[in-house]
Amino acid sequence: MRYVYLFHEGNAGMKELLGGKGANLAEMTNLGLPVPPGLIVTTDACRDYYRDGKRLPEGLDEEVARNLRALEEETGKRFGDPHQPLLLSVRSGAVFSMPGMMDTVLNLGLNPATFRALAENTGNEWFACDTYRRFIQMFADVVMEIPKDKFEALLQERKDAQGVRLDQELSLDSLHAVIADSKALYLQETGRPFPDDVHEQLMLSIEAVFRSWNNHRAVVYRDLNKIDHHLGTAVNIQSMVFGNMGDDSGSGVAFTRNPSTGESKLYGEYLINAQGEDVVAGVRTPRPIEELAHDMPDIYRQFEGIARKLEAHYRDMQDIELTVERGKLFILQTRNGKRTAQAALKIAHDMVLEGLIDKKDALLRIDPEHLAHLLHRQIDRSAQPVILATGLAASPGAAFGSVVFDADEAEHLGRIGSKVILVRMETTPDDIHGIVQAQGILTSRGGMTSHAAVVTRGMGKPCVCGCEALHVDYENECFTVGDVVVKKGDLLSIDGTAGTVILGAVPLKDPELSDEYQAVLGWADEVRTLSVRANADTPEDAEKARGFGAEGIGLTRTEHMFMAQERLPYVQKMILARTTEERLSALLPLRIMQENDFYSILKAMRGLPVCIRLLDPPLHEFLPSLEKLLVETTELRVRGDNPQLLEEKEALLAQVAKLHEANPMMGHRGCRLGITYPEVYEMQMHAVFNAAARLTRDGYKVLPEIEIPLTISKAEMEFLKEKCDRIARECMEAHRVTFTYLCGSMIELPRAALLAGEIAEAAEFFSFGTNDLTQTCFGFSRDDAEGKFLPAYIHQKILKDNPFAVLDRAGVGRLMRIAVEEGRKVRPGLMIGICGEHGGDPGSVEFCHQIGLDLVSCSPYRIPIARLAAAQAALKYPRPAETHA
Ligand code: ADP
Ligand code: MG
Ligand code: MG
């Protein structure tokens, strides 16, 4: 097995073996860019390390040493040599980039002898000292897991003693003292002296990088981003270049385009006389990259050229690390840059117009889930919020919540459903669990490439960082801005789009969608074959859905209309009626209200199809709970002061008890109600068709579809379909109009899927209710499953995903395939859709496309996601045009 590759032996196509960083370093080397030479230990080595119980593979040390010779030849320096020492960086590099999640050791190869050589050769003892003390600290931190803070404290002591603030101001004596202190600390912590053998340093560091693959924050990051835990990391061993050699040196990070807005302009930061870690550490505030054009005009021009070249080469926005050593530019890393949803969209759009990529590339490049971020809310400026402080607009969107200062606390509160804003001086990868649960992040330090900024942008979570007016006091759990004190628990709003911080909870509003957004979704519409509809129960939702590009309504739940406060008494009267007459008289006002609802919804959709599901849930959902009534009647009986109320409550109790079901999910609900209480479904049909007839008469186009829930047989469907046709006819005749309508069946029980052929004889369309179909296919009741045992199933990897969130292709999907095939055998061209929550999940949309559905329906906010997911599915799995209606 070969474990080591030199940079020039690899290329960008070898990411799996060499990791993303290594593969790109190799690619850049072959492009002739100024990359310090290096070698890569493969991910195979890391996997074998774990396979063999955390032991470095046999022979790895010799293979590394052999390849180091090539490095030595190229640089003219030798590893561990007391005259011309080669120093190395040891860097992690996973297949998928996990910025800042794993460890790096810089300046490796220093010991007293090589240190002296470094000082002499550079004629810069200060630099050599600074480099040595950094190495000891990083090695101790990464390899021996001695907290960095302890070393930072030693450094701080010397600064205090000397009365200075910045590292750069330290005297040589102080630096020498820091080195001695650091070594002493190392001995004290580990019981062993700091290793002077450079090969030992190297092998221990390689192993530490392998170990860092499984550190807590890396594991959390992978879980969050669904990255396989078995991939392992590569290790890049690269000759060092030094940004800390003086004012003609420096380090920086830059994106080829703005990662927040997508604007096509170099965007980044740098520090003079610093190593790369200083730029992101937040100790010194870095300067915007444009200023490099003044500080080092030649370097800036060169860098601009390289940035353009890399972007054109990779045909994507790049995130580049650079270091300048004594006036010479080096490139240390490039990767496709992380970006906000807004930037992703704009960059993909602009690159199509620039001819860099085609529309297909653009569509496949945008993560559908990211589109949801763009629908994030913004501060409603009409509320004229008073701004408390301003920082950097690090990640767009607005949020409010109670202030907390601790990541654990943010996590805890977030999990139980509280909205919190996590306020920190700066965040580190160890805060990631708190960031996940917070509504937004506010930091007082750090730039646009600081940890908080990068991580929140990836999550689409609002963030304001580097807000220097803020004085955070962890001890007293508060922060101050001037005389204003904000304590833990106080309400605070942040606006990551503007970079502002506002006291209290400011009203938020829906965003406006950019031209790029509309254009890209327009391209998606050109290629997708699935039609996208919305689930909407109100005219307002219907309007919103049309705005997002819905081509109709795939599900209107009529029970929501029954739940409204002012309607519930009629619904209850209807349910509690003892005779048909009583029931009919309660139904009349409901019919009028429902008719008006349908009138508005059908009107809002202007001739687009509107699929209305007749009453579905068990009736007791509209009644007070049995337990509550028992308590009330008992109390009334004991008090004995209101016999009339007692009588009423007792009657109610008797009726509720009668309706009580052992398992309501599988009980008296859906079209079973339409069979046992025919007046209810008749009333609803009347309301729909009367509304449609009135609209037609008033000159509007309508296309209602009546959907029967929970059907199991052709006979059931026929029985209700006949009613539907009769009532439609009556309404049309009464208004002397005609309109088209359909009456179809929900397929949400295994029997319906299996007997879809028969049902299709009576049903004019199918709509999969994948929530119930999942419950009944698995035999899981959703609430119980998600609350009790599903997490264990997922944790133990017995199930890969929650089947209620990600459609179970193997089981539920199989039933769907059967239904599609059987249904269309009987009724060629039968329109089939899905209206469960799955309709807005990109993976499930892909599956629906693959099995030949005509449409998906989802909540209005997920429509853009479904449109893009449908386009991606069509690009990945083209299907013949005749299969869609
Ligand atoms: P991460 O994946 O966390 O970005 P890197 O491996 O890129 O970690 O290393 C972190 C920083 O260390 C880089 O940004 C760079 O500034 C510095 N660095 C890495 N390798 C070298 C090198 N060969 N010479 C100088 N600095 C380096
Ligand atoms: Mg890096
Ligand atoms: Mg259902």
Side-chain angles (χ1 to χ4, degrees):
M1 176 80 95
R2 179 179 177 186
Y3 287 124
V4 178
Y5 287 75
L6 291 167
F7 282 177
H8 66 79
E9 294 173 317
N11 63 55
M14 297 167 73
K15 287 206 167 77
E16 265 173 53
L17 187 64
L18 305 182
K21 195 182 290 165
N24 284 333
L25 283 166
E27 184 85 5
M28 289 196 292
T29 303
N30 293 327
L31 280 174
L33 299 185
V35 177
L39 52 91
I40 307 158
V41 180
T42 63
T43 55
D44 279 339
C46 182
R47 283 190 296 268
D48 288 356
Y49 169 78
Y50 281 106
R51 184 200 56 200
D52 299 343
K54 299 205 191 176
R55 281 225 330 268
L56 286 180
E58 194 87 30
L60 181 65
D61 43 356
E62 285 111 66
E63 203 179 338
V64 169
R66 199 163 57 241
N67 282 279
L68 263 183
R69 251 164 264 147
L71 264 187
E72 293 175 334
E73 232 150 78
E74 198 174 334
T75 56
K77 295 177 185 168
R78 288 186 39 218
F79 191 46
D81 189 86
H83 305 291
Q84 288 294 338
L86 172 66
L87 299 191
L88 300 172
S89 75
V90 179
R91 324 169 61 184
S92 58
V95 180
F96 301 104
S97 90
M98 298 166 46
M101 290 299 134
M102 289 181 297
D103 294 327
T104 300
V105 182
L106 300 181
N107 312 317
L108 185 134
L110 282 172
N111 57 28
T114 55
F115 160 73
R116 262 189 310 279
L118 185 66
E120 272 163 34
N121 296 345
T122 57
N124 188 341
E125 189 175 345
W126 192 95
F127 153 75
C129 287
D130 183 50
T131 306
Y132 201 9
R133 74 128 193 111
R134 286 170 187 265
F135 169 54
I136 296 168
Q137 170 174 335
M138 275 182 120
F139 184 90
D141 170 28
V142 172
V143 179
M144 305 311 282
E145 291 167 30
I146 309 171
K148 260 210 294 265
D149 301 351
K150 298 197 174 181
F151 291 92
E152 290 291 341
L154 297 177
L155 188 66
Q156 192 60 47
E157 265 173 42
R158 295 292 165 180
K159 284 191 206 168
D160 293 346
Q162 214 190 299
V164 298
R165 204 173 67 83
L166 294 176
D167 296 5
Q168 282 75 4
E169 298 165 322
L170 278 171
S171 70
L172 266 179
D173 285 346
S174 300
L175 271 178
H176 276 291
V178 174
I179 292 169
D181 294 347
S182 300
K183 284 186 173 180
L185 176 62
Y186 184 96
L187 177 64
Q188 182 194 327
E189 292 276 334
T190 65
R192 270 169 295 170
F194 190 84
D196 286 339
D197 178 340
V198 296
H199 287 281
E200 186 187 342
Q201 293 175 356
L202 180 57
M203 295 318 288
L204 286 173
S205 299
I206 292 174
E207 193 180 344
V209 170
F210 285 164
R211 273 202 315 268
S212 74
W213 171 254
N214 273 337
N215 69 31
H216 177 64
R217 56 182 202 252
V219 173
V220 171
Y221 185 91
R222 286 199 297 274
D223 279 339
L224 204 65
N225 291 281
K226 299 207 163 74
I227 298 174
D228 189 341
H229 292 293
H230 297 292
L231 292 172
T233 179
V235 185
N236 303 287
I237 299 167
Q238 190 177 29
S239 71
M240 279 299 297
V241 288
F242 299 98
N244 56 335
M245 287 189 87
D247 287 345
D248 55 355
S249 305
S251 295
V253 195
F255 294 84
T256 54
R257 303 186 187 218
N258 185 314
S260 196
T261 64
E263 190 194 357
S264 180
K265 187 172 164 240
L266 269 189
Y267 180 88
E269 0 186 72
Y270 72 103
L271 277 174
I272 293 290
N273 195 10
Q275 285 202 324
E277 33 162 358
D278 303 339
V279 180
V280 289
V283 181
R284 277 159 74 193
T285 300
R287 296 159 56 185
I289 197 87
E290 318 59 289
E291 291 181 16
L292 190 64
H294 307 295
D295 281 351
M296 300 179 175
D298 277 351
I299 296 282
Y300 187 75
R301 233 175 328 216
Q302 257 183 62
F303 180 67
E304 261 191 323
I306 289 174
R308 254 196 309 277
K309 186 166 176 180
L310 282 173
E311 198 182 79
H313 183 75
Y314 286 99
R315 304 190 312 134
D316 201 353
M317 185 262 266
Q318 296 297 296
D319 168 359
I320 306 171
E321 291 175 2
L322 64 144
T323 281
V324 181
E325 176 181 307
R326 288 185 167 163
K328 182 163 167 26
L329 174 66
F330 292 92
I331 304 297
L332 294 181
Q333 188 173 337
T334 194
R335 64 180 166 216
N336 293 341
K338 301 238 185 266
R339 61 205 78 180
T340 62
Q342 185 193 341
L345 206 97
K346 179 163 168 59
I347 290 169
H349 172 265
D350 290 356
M351 284 188 168
V352 170
L353 301 197
E354 291 162 24
L356 219 51
I357 58 175
D358 60 25
K359 287 182 187 175
K360 183 179 162 188
D361 295 324
L363 288 171
L364 288 173
R365 205 171 262 188
I366 301 165
D367 179 351
E369 281 298 340
H370 272 180
L371 291 182
H373 298 342
L374 292 184
L375 305 176
H376 272 178
R377 291 170 307 169
Q378 298 173 343
I379 295 266
D380 186 353
R381 305 225 176 275
S382 63
Q384 301 196 311
V386 182
I387 290 163
L388 175 68
T390 301
L392 299 171
S395 179
F400 61 78
S402 318
V403 169
V404 294
F405 294 96
D406 178 73
D408 291 340
E409 195 162 359
E411 182 189 32
H412 170 70
L413 289 170
R415 273 191 193 284
I416 60 171
S418 307
K419 289 184 180 356
V420 299
I421 302 286
L422 177 62
V423 182
R424 302 281 304 164
M425 282 187 217
E426 63 208 307
T427 65
T428 73
D430 294 322
D431 296 322
I432 189 123
H433 57 294
I435 297 175
V436 172
Q437 293 294 339
Q439 300 293 312
I441 310 298
L442 170 62
T443 69
S444 58
R445 292 206 300 230
M448 292 296 283
T449 51
S450 67
H451 177 262
V454 172
V455 171
T456 49
R457 279 202 293 270
M459 292 180 190
K461 186 162 291 204
C463 175
V464 174
C465 67
C467 190
E468 294 184 356
L470 231 72
H471 294 278
V472 181
D473 179 350
Y474 290 134
E475 201 144 299
N476 295 308
E477 302 195 295
C478 68
F479 71 78
T480 53
V481 178
D483 333 323
V484 182
V485 182
V486 179
K487 291 192 295 294
K488 182 172 101 172
D490 288 353
L491 277 175
L492 192 73
S493 305
I494 61 166
D495 181 354
T497 314
T500 49
V501 181
I502 299 149
L503 276 182
V506 183
L508 304 179
K509 71 170 173 61
D510 293 336
E512 288 131 38
L513 299 177
S514 68
D515 294 347
E516 285 91 4
Y517 189 99
Q518 308 285 10
V520 169
L521 282 175
W523 301 340
D525 294 344
E526 285 166 19
V527 299
R528 69 185 161 90
T529 52
L530 272 174
S531 165
V532 177
R533 295 197 194 176
N535 298 348
D537 305 337
T538 62
E540 296 77 50
D541 275 358
E543 283 289 351
K544 193 178 288 162
R546 263 172 36 89
F548 286 139
E551 294 160 298
I553 291 179
L555 176 63
T556 293
R557 296 181 189 82
T558 48
E559 57 270 20
H560 285 191
M561 304 170 174
F562 277 26
M563 297 282 187
Q565 209 53 53
E566 70 280 8
R567 302 182 182 190
L568 211 50
Y570 296 104
V571 179
Q572 293 181 343
K573 225 198 256 158
M574 180 264 290
I575 297 170
L576 299 171
R578 265 164 289 225
T579 63
T580 308
E581 288 74 55
E582 262 181 56
R583 177 159 298 125
L584 282 175
S585 83
L587 278 171
L588 186 65
L590 282 176
R591 192 184 108 186
I592 293 166
M593 291 187 260
Q594 288 238 292
E595 189 174 316
N596 288 336
D597 294 332
F598 296 138
Y599 185 93
S600 313
I601 292 176
L602 285 164
K603 189 172 161 189
M605 293 310 285
R606 286 160 226 178
L608 293 173
V610 174
C611 184
I612 295 158
R613 180 176 71 185
L614 302 186
L615 195 63
D616 185 42
L619 291 181
H620 74 82
E621 283 194 12
F622 302 102
L623 298 175
S625 85
L626 189 65
E627 289 81 4
K628 208 175 129 212
L629 281 171
L630 272 171
V631 173
E632 280 177 10
T633 47
T634 311
E635 277 173 5
L636 280 168
R637 207 171 299 127
V638 171
R639 284 211 310 271
D641 56 352
N642 195 340
Q644 199 188 333
L645 186 61
L646 175 62
E647 197 180 321
E648 271 171 35
K649 291 273 179 187
E650 275 179 333
L652 188 59
L653 174 63
Q655 192 69 356
V656 169
K658 215 167 101 194
L659 286 171
H660 185 74
E661 292 178 287
N663 187 347
M665 280 309 303
M666 304 177 89
H668 195 177
R669 56 173 286 224
C671 65
R672 297 155 207 171
L673 292 172
I675 310 257
T676 52
Y677 295 99
E679 314 80 49
V680 178
Y681 269 25
E682 282 168 15
M683 175 279 280
Q684 291 197 295
M685 290 171 178
H686 235 107
V688 173
F689 289 132
N690 239 346
R694 277 167 52 206
L695 281 163
T696 310
R697 195 197 51 207
D698 296 349
Y700 293 96
K701 273 193 134 113
V702 291
L703 183 43
E705 298 168 354
I706 299 275
E707 175 170 81
I708 313 290
L710 283 175
T711 44
I712 48 164
S713 76
K714 174 184 167 191
E716 198 182 37
M717 188 61 211
E718 257 174 354
F719 177 85
L720 293 165
K721 168 96 169 28
E722 271 164 23
K723 264 186 211 289
C724 185
D725 290 340
R726 174 176 54 78
I727 293 171
R729 213 170 36 244
E730 283 169 12
C731 291
M732 288 194 222
E733 278 165 12
H735 291 271
R736 272 182 245 132
V737 291
T738 54
F739 54 82
T740 325
Y741 68 92
L742 295 174
C743 178
S745 169
M746 282 197 81
I747 304 293
E748 52 185 340
L749 294 170
R751 191 176 201 277
L754 296 171
L755 298 182
E758 282 186 19
I759 293 176
E761 285 173 30
E764 291 167 319
F765 65 87
F766 283 172
S767 180
F768 288 108
T770 45
N771 193 35
D772 273 313
L773 193 57
T774 302
Q775 298 203 87
T776 49
C777 176
F778 278 81
F780 287 176
S781 94
R782 179 170 183 172
D783 290 345
D784 295 323
E786 289 186 337
K788 301 201 168 73
F789 53 86
L790 211 49
Y793 268 67
I794 291 163
H795 184 71
Q796 316 221 18
K797 304 205 163 60
I798 293 169
L799 281 176
K800 194 164 151 280
D801 295 296
N802 174 352
F804 296 104
V806 177
L807 190 76
D808 162 51
R809 296 187 184 201
V812 177
R814 179 104 193 270
L815 287 170
M816 291 169 73
R817 279 183 199 274
I818 292 171
V820 170
E821 196 179 309
E822 304 277 311
R824 291 217 176 115
K825 231 187 272 167
V826 171
R827 209 184 265 265
L830 175 70
M831 180 175 79
I832 308 180
I834 178 176
C835 62
E837 257 171 76
H838 294 107
D841 165 62
S844 309
V845 170
E846 181 183 280
F847 180 72
C848 291
H849 171 86
Q850 286 176 290
I851 64 170
L853 298 202
D854 300 293
L855 66 97
V856 297
S857 189
C858 55
S859 86
Y861 281 105
R862 296 200 66 86
I863 287 190
I865 297 162
R867 284 163 74 192
L868 180 58
Q872 292 184 343
L875 289 170
K876 286 188 217 160
Y877 307 97
R879 69 184 189 199
E882 69 270 12
T883 54
H884 67 94

